[in-house]
Amino acid sequence: MARLPDGDPAPRDGALPEAALAGLGERPFGLYVHVPFCATRCGYCDFNTYVPGEDGAAAASGYVEAVLAELDLARRTLGDGAPAAQTVFFGGGTPTLLAAADLTRLLDGIRERFGLAPGAEVTTEANPESVDPAKLAALREAGFTRLSLGMQSAVPRVLATLDRVHSPGRPQAAVAEARAAGFEQVSLDLIYGTPGETADDWRASLDAALEAEPDHLSTYSLIVEPGTRLAAQVRRGELEPPSEDVIVDRFETAEHVLAAAGMQWYETCSWATGEAAWCRHNLGYWDGGDWWGAGPGAHSHVGGVRWWNALHPKGWAERVRAGESPAAAREIPDAESVRLEQVMLGLRLRSGVALDVLTDDGRAAAAEHLAGGLLEPADHAAGRAVLTLRGRLLADPVTLDLAG
Amino acid sequence: MSDQSLIRNFSIIAHIDHGKSTLADRILEMTKTVSARDMKAQLLDSMELERERGITIKSQAVRVYYTADDGVTYQFHLIDTPGHVDFTYEVSRSLQACEGALLVVDASQGVEAQTVANTYLAVDAGLELIPCLNKIDLPGAEPERVAGEVSELIGEDPESIKIISGKTGAGVHEVLEQLVAQVPPPDGDRNAPARALIFDSEFDQYRGVIAYIRMVDGVLKKGEAIRAMAADFNAEVDEIGFFSPTMTPVKELAAGEVGYLITGVKDVKLLKVGDTITQRYHGAEEAIPGFREIQPMVFCGLFPIEASDYPDFRDALEKLSLNDAALAWEPENSDALGFGFRCGFLGLLHMDIIRERLEREYDLELMATMPSVGFQVEMENGDIVEVHNPSDMPDPNGIKEIREPYIRASILTPKEYIGTIMELCQDKRGQTGGMSFLSEDRVNLLYDLPLAEIVLDFFDQLKTRTKGYASLDYEIIGLRPSPLVKLDVLLAGDAVDALSLVVHKDKAYDIGRQLTEKLREKIPRQQYDVPIQAAIGSHIIARETVKAFRKDVTAKCYGGDISRKRKLLENQKKGKKRMKNVGKVEVPQEAFLAVLELGDSKSK
């Protein structure tokens, strides 16, 4: 797991400034629960997760109670103004390593403390190997509405490089099982740019995913993160990461194949069959919404205050059980940082960022990037900066220029 | 006041790394000038940079007392001089302060170009030379062969050459005896008006300029009214004394003695190296011959990386100038690099040292443009323009003639490299000045070369082509007319002043092509294609393109970890600051020195 950013110390009781609490409920509000456990660790993964035998995995036994304790703290901290959750998202790790009963207890715990807004979106991530029809039915029954399955690839050789254990075809089967269980929204995650993956491999993965007819697809470029097994293999010369041109080709292939299949991007990594299939929880991250992230290493944002929890499950659990905030640090970004975040997150979205939140320099830069073909002309004319296909591949410099 | 007959003034002449400073250390130790407890290596090289690089930049003049085998105690003044070609003038002044010199040659390396050059300086100054083969304790030592070379150089019997080790001290006693016996004592007239030669100076922030002097005639006393003759500067002697090796004040220094003088003046340019100090009233009529004004020979633009450091940079240059009369500077405003200074140096080593001192002692981050020489341009209308910056070269239409500085290079090499060196010299527009055999195997090649070629990559090329065996020394021999043109570099269509250079017209096409290629390697891919062009006037002679990159995005943004990604972007932004924005193009600092690497791509 990459080092967390430096921040300021958070108060022990987790109390938030008045200003942050004002307007709570006027912005989207969601809850995130981090489940930091996996059956095995994949070579590319640098997330905050623990496999059996590791010290952090020992915390699995009291985990559900600890999350409930943090939810108590969340309720106390947000006070009576706390709105009902419009979205809930269980991420990990592998949330479905937990028994359906545990996931149900956690969702019930949220319902008791905050309530679920009508039509709330309730997602859990899942490993295709860790779900079956019975479990899916139980989750649907408990109130889960959306399933996000880690497929990654349809090609055995690529899956082997990624250390993924599921057999080809299993993710697609899981989509069908989820549909049968009554899930309205089912998403598949794919990874491109794995060392050794060919253009045909990627094409085959996209086709296989589309065949399962999910309403949502996420496509991520594989990043070799320092400290992972993959990074060591690359360093030793056993694997060669793809070139910039290859990554660009994969990205463009995804664009063409998915668009031809009737999906549209609404966020740089996310595709959906329509607005109804958008992941509203993730949109909250990108749109300046409020959310409380419970669990080790989870990030939260309420009214301009960002904080992140202690990474290690033991340290996190000890603090929430003692009724204290598990926050490792918090920060209140200044105006300049807020603008950078706004531009950075807005440019990820198909809806883009409003030109009138930019400075004069930022608007001048936008005009230049429009001329350079990195921003959509129609949206620019309508007062918004929206990245073109080429622009999405060059999002970092455009972000810095527009935030200027 | 010591009897002149008991004084011996000498310096040590050696090529870099031939053991000059180690021998000096041994002499200090054996004469008990420094106790073993206080001894540290390279004792006389007090500047941090000198120790690190193993070189001598500033002179030292230490007094030691040696009781010889005849029972008499002699007063030695050991003048440790810089040896590098950049400091030839300082070396010549230091040698003039002596009656003798130890010629130290590494017994495994043999005679090198610097040895020859400094030996000639010493002979010109009329010094008695005592040749020594050093480092005979090393396994690779070849005393016989090297003795032959030394004997050839100075015309003395190889048998008379001392065999020593500065490291172990072997033979050093004999050398000290030789100094007593062979080096003539000074013979100044102590009753004449005082004449003191300034052979170096340094600046102390509390005491001002400390002039290193050799009393040639008469006596100078503390409190006396004095005059520096060339600078026509009047002052009073605040303090006078000698180094032992720390500063030791005395009441007076008399003819034959070596020491220092402090007047409290803060400007090193008022007590210039080579000037003569005499009494203000009834002083000497004639100055000691040999004084000249120091001329910078190599120029480059220095720019602070952070524009806000500009005032600090100016302060630092002002302070450093107090310490270094040879450093010249004037404000320079570059379209590409902003506000900085065009600085003039004695040579490349001097340039390196100044830049390093600025960064180290004044905590500045600087970027340097390509070094160039000073050109003299004669216009059609008869005006003479001195050009220290290629981008200031006047329009070719009005130019009658461009003159550039030439050097006489002396290259010492094993004979098997003669061919490759001649080829190199011709390629660098050299004209042969003949050659002479130093021994059966080693040759001294003389060439007249434009200094501009030396400033670029001549030395590196020489080292590469001769596997490091050749050594180079040179002297400036004046200006010569050359068919030179200004070569401009355009990035994305705009000429970049900091990349302009002046080259020979026959080589312009080649250099333009290589330079654009090199720049293509140095300039990172950007959001748009960046055309790189080389042009003479409006005529484009070479073109390359840095293709736009296709991807620059850190896509991942899982969960709500927004702070981390924002900070990654903020760090990217800081990284961009280290690049210079030239129009729309981000140019890394090293690109401005790309021309220095042109030789590399050629030899590939």
Coordinates of all heavy atoms in Angstrom, one line a residue, chain B residues 9 46 51 103 148 157 190 308 358 401 459 528 541 580 598-599:
Chain B
N9 N 63.7 30.7 -1.0 CA 62.3 30.7 -1.5 C 62.1 29.8 -2.7 O 62.8 29.9 -3.7 CB 61.9 32.2 -1.9 CG 62.0 33.1 -0.8 OD1 61.6 32.8 0.3 ND2 62.5 34.3 -1.0
S46 N 43.3 24.8 1.8 CA 42.3 25.0 2.9 C 40.9 25.0 2.4 O 40.0 24.8 3.2 CB 42.6 26.3 3.6 OG 42.7 27.4 2.6
R51 N 40.3 20.3 -1.4 CA 40.5 19.0 -0.8 C 39.8 17.9 -1.6 O 40.3 16.9 -1.9 CB 40.1 18.9 0.7 CG 41.0 19.7 1.5 CD 40.4 19.9 2.9 NE 41.3 20.7 3.7 CZ 42.4 20.2 4.2 NH1 42.7 18.9 4.1 NH2 43.2 21.0 4.9
L103 N 60.8 20.4 -9.0 CA 60.1 19.9 -10.2 C 59.7 18.4 -9.8 O 60.6 17.6 -9.8 CB 60.9 19.9 -11.4 CG 60.4 19.3 -12.7 CD1 59.1 19.9 -13.1 CD2 61.4 19.4 -13.8
G148 N 64.7 9.7 -17.6 CA 65.2 10.1 -18.9 C 64.4 11.2 -19.5 O 64.9 12.2 -20.1
D157 N 71.7 15.9 -16.1 CA 72.1 14.5 -16.0 C 71.0 13.7 -15.2 O 70.6 14.1 -14.1 CB 73.4 14.4 -15.2 CG 74.0 13.0 -15.1 OD1 73.3 12.1 -15.7 OD2 75.0 12.9 -14.4
R190 N 68.2 45.9 0.7 CA 67.3 46.2 1.8 C 67.3 47.7 2.1 O 66.5 48.1 2.9 CB 67.8 45.4 3.0 CG 67.3 43.9 2.9 CD 67.5 43.1 4.1 NE 66.8 41.9 4.0 CZ 66.9 40.9 4.9 NH1 67.6 41.0 6.0 NH2 66.1 39.8 4.7
S308 N 13.1 34.1 -8.1 CA 13.2 34.9 -6.9 C 14.5 34.9 -6.2 O 14.8 35.7 -5.3 CB 12.1 34.4 -5.9 OG 12.3 33.0 -5.6
L358 N 29.3 29.0 -5.9 CA 28.0 29.7 -5.8 C 27.0 28.8 -5.3 O 26.1 29.2 -4.4 CB 27.6 30.3 -7.2 CG 28.4 31.5 -7.7 CD1 28.1 31.8 -9.1 CD2 28.0 32.8 -6.8
E401 N 34.7 41.7 -40.2 CA 35.6 40.6 -39.9 C 35.2 40.2 -38.4 O 35.0 41.0 -37.6 CB 37.0 41.0 -39.9 CG 38.0 39.9 -39.7 CD 39.4 40.4 -39.9 OE1 39.9 40.3 -41.0 OE2 40.1 40.9 -38.9
F459 N 39.1 18.7 -24.8 CA 39.9 18.0 -23.7 C 39.3 16.6 -23.6 O 40.0 15.6 -23.5 CB 39.8 18.8 -22.4 CG 40.7 18.3 -21.4 CD1 42.1 18.3 -21.6 CD2 40.2 17.7 -20.2 CE1 42.9 17.8 -20.6 CE2 41.1 17.3 -19.3 CZ 42.4 17.3 -19.5
Y528 N 2.2 18.6 -27.5 CA 2.2 18.9 -29.0 C 3.5 18.6 -29.6 O 4.5 18.5 -28.9 CB 1.8 20.4 -29.2 CG 0.6 20.8 -28.4 CD1 0.7 21.5 -27.2 CD2 -0.7 20.5 -28.9 CE1 -0.4 21.8 -26.5 CE2 -1.8 20.9 -28.2 CZ -1.7 21.5 -27.0 OH -2.8 21.9 -26.3
I541 N 18.9 25.0 -41.6 CA 19.9 24.0 -42.1 C 19.6 22.6 -41.5 O 20.2 21.6 -42.0 CB 21.3 24.4 -41.8 CG1 21.5 24.6 -40.3 CG2 21.7 25.7 -42.6 CD1 23.0 24.8 -39.9
K580 N 12.5 24.8 -17.8 CA 12.3 26.2 -18.2 C 11.2 26.2 -19.3 O 11.3 25.4 -20.3 CB 13.6 26.8 -18.8 CG 14.6 27.1 -17.7 CD 14.2 28.4 -16.9 CE 15.1 28.6 -15.8 NZ 14.7 29.8 -15.0
L598 N 28.0 17.1 -28.2 CA 28.0 16.8 -29.6 C 29.1 15.8 -30.0 O 28.8 14.9 -30.8 CB 28.2 18.0 -30.5 CG 27.0 19.0 -30.3 CD1 27.1 20.1 -31.3 CD2 25.7 18.2 -30.6
G599 N 30.2 15.9 -29.4 CA 31.3 15.0 -29.8 C 30.9 13.5 -29.5 O 31.3 12.6 -30.3

